[in-house]
Amino acid sequence: MAAVSAREFEKSLDERLRGIRVVVLHGDNDEIKSDLFRAIRKSVGVDSDDPFRLVQLDSGLLDSDPARLPDELGAISMFGGSRLIRTSATTRQAERVIEQAFDCPPGDWTLVVDTDELEISRLGANIASQLLAVACGAEAAGDFHSFVQSEFLRAGIGFEDGVIELLIGLLGEDRASARTEIEKLSLLIGASNKATIDDVRNVVADGSSILADE
């Protein structure tokens, strides 16, 4: 089994997904899980509003209809392309979900299992060896700074010294807010392609009580 931290996974997500059928996001940090699932969805080329290629099954459905997951894994997208299936499973359900996935014939799909805990010892060695388990717990010091930096790089814009620190100071460690503000910055700076301290102040001013106080 490949076991990595959320940060390690983010850094080389496309490479780590190659040849992987099942990704398990385990831990109690729902924000990181949502971010990683969004990144996985983009990596496999599935739109968030595509009902034929994107399926999400909650724990209630997994219990009320145990055959639903195998049915989805065996289905073929109406218009072609790989399918992405996400299950929100309890710790008890996760073992069954993973075993069902590996009992199904190989297909053009990726399964993401979202669960609080992963009990690897209860899985067969052959199954465990083919999993990618991503720990989604509390972030270590510096992880959020690295995340913001990677979002700037992903947006294709540079930044002057102090921009990241100011942005974090204004927004706190909120991934969704940071990503939204960086998207706004990318539109604001235009051809200059580099965010400045003043740019951050202008973009974030409306949503920041700190700037309002200043």
Side-chain angles (χ1 to χ4, degrees):
M1 177 193 70
V4 298
S5 68
R7 189 69 199 131
E8 291 171 326
F9 183 54
E10 281 181 314
K11 286 180 178 178
S12 54
L13 185 144
D14 292 337
E15 180 182 347
R16 290 184 181 277
L17 284 178
R18 291 195 191 107
I20 292 293
R21 298 173 64 192
V22 179
V23 179
V24 183
L25 306 179
H26 62 98
D28 58 2
N29 194 321
D30 292 335
E31 187 177 5
I32 289 180
K33 287 180 178 178
S34 294
D35 264 357
L36 294 185
F37 180 72
R38 173 178 173 272
I40 292 170
R41 180 179 56 74
K42 288 191 171 184
S43 179
V44 299
V46 176
D47 292 334
S48 61
D49 59 352
D50 189 336
F52 301 106
R53 298 181 59 198
L54 178 61
V55 178
Q56 303 204 53
L57 308 176
D58 62 27
S59 60
L61 185 56
L62 292 174
D63 271 344
S64 64
D65 188 0
R68 177 67 178 275
L69 176 61
D71 287 346
E72 294 291 353
L73 294 174
I76 299 174
S77 175
M78 183 178 296
F79 300 104
S82 61
R83 303 179 78 238
L84 178 61
I85 301 166
R86 181 184 188 181
T87 63
S88 298
T90 65
T91 302
R92 173 183 57 82
Q93 292 170 330
E95 178 186 349
R96 186 188 78 213
V97 166
I98 293 168
E99 289 175 344
Q100 283 181 322
F102 284 100
D103 283 341
C104 290
D108 193 4
W109 50 261
T110 300
L111 173 66
V112 177
V113 181
D114 180 339
T115 188
D116 288 340
E117 295 181 24
L118 178 62
E119 298 181 1
I120 292 296
S121 61
R122 297 176 60 87
L123 297 172
N126 182 52
I127 291 178
S129 66
Q130 300 178 69
L131 286 178
L132 174 59
V134 184
C136 302
E139 291 188 292
D143 280 356
F144 190 75
H145 187 285
S146 297
F147 164 76
V148 174
Q149 184 175 1
S150 69
E151 287 299 309
F152 271 105
L153 295 174
R154 198 190 311 275
I157 59 177
F159 48 87
E160 67 180 24
D161 290 345
V163 161
I164 292 181
E165 290 74 15
L166 176 60
L167 188 62
I168 294 175
L170 294 173
L171 299 175
E173 297 193 359
D174 185 322
R175 285 174 165 241
S177 294
R179 185 183 295 110
T180 297
E181 299 307 328
I182 291 170
E183 290 173 354
K184 291 180 185 177
L185 281 167
S186 69
L187 296 175
L188 172 71
I189 63 176
S192 70
N193 210 38
K194 187 173 184 178
T196 68
I197 294 292
D198 286 341
D199 291 333
V200 173
R201 289 178 177 273
N202 290 333
V203 167
V204 187
D206 290 342
S208 171
S209 61
I210 296 177
L211 280 181
D213 290 343
E214 290 182 356

